[in-house]
Amino acid sequence: MQSIVTTMGDVNQNTQEIAGAVQQQSAATSEISNSVRQAARGTEDVAQHMPDVTKAVDETNQSAAQMLQISKDLSRHGEQLRHMVENFLRRVAAADALKNVG
């Protein structure tokens, strides 16, 4: 009889240990599940904002292209102005040279 009581005590102890392990496993699984849900929400948020990001990138690209064109135009106008000033200074120098000769 004592042997049966001891065996039942051992079975009870093992059952409690198994129940504790199952409870810990359940808690870990629940935590993993919550983490996966949070990651999924984050991914959804990123996916929802991608059209806005794409639009902003496109607008930035267009602005950069416009700025490049404006820079090229300013460079061309600057070069034209430089030539005009050089021609003006040559004429002034030529007029001054004629004045000094005469």
Side-chain angles (χ1 to χ4, degrees):
M1 180 78 154
Q2 182 61 32
S3 173
I4 293 174
V5 171
T6 301
T7 302
M8 290 303 289
D10 289 345
V11 168
N12 188 35
Q13 170 104 16
N14 288 338
T15 302
Q16 288 177 357
E17 288 175 4
I18 290 170
V22 167
Q23 187 177 16
Q24 288 177 349
Q25 182 66 35
S26 177
T29 301
S30 178
E31 189 174 324
I32 291 169
S33 177
N34 286 335
S35 295
V36 168
R37 275 194 294 276
Q38 288 177 351
R41 274 188 238 124
T43 301
E44 287 173 4
D45 287 346
V46 169
Q48 287 176 352
H49 289 95
M50 284 309 294
D52 294 335
V53 171
T54 300
K55 182 180 178 185
V57 168
D58 289 343
E59 289 172 357
T60 301
N61 191 29
Q62 289 175 357
S63 294
Q66 289 173 348
M67 290 303 295
L68 178 61
Q69 186 58 49
I70 289 169
S71 293
K72 288 178 180 179
D73 291 345
L74 283 173
S75 178
R76 190 180 81 249
H77 289 302
E79 189 64 23
Q80 289 172 348
L81 181 60
R82 186 180 66 79
H83 286 298
M84 290 171 66
V85 169
E86 285 175 355
N87 287 336
F88 173 75
L89 291 176
R90 272 193 226 113
R91 288 183 186 144
V92 168
D96 190 46
L98 285 175
K99 180 180 169 185
N100 288 335
V101 171

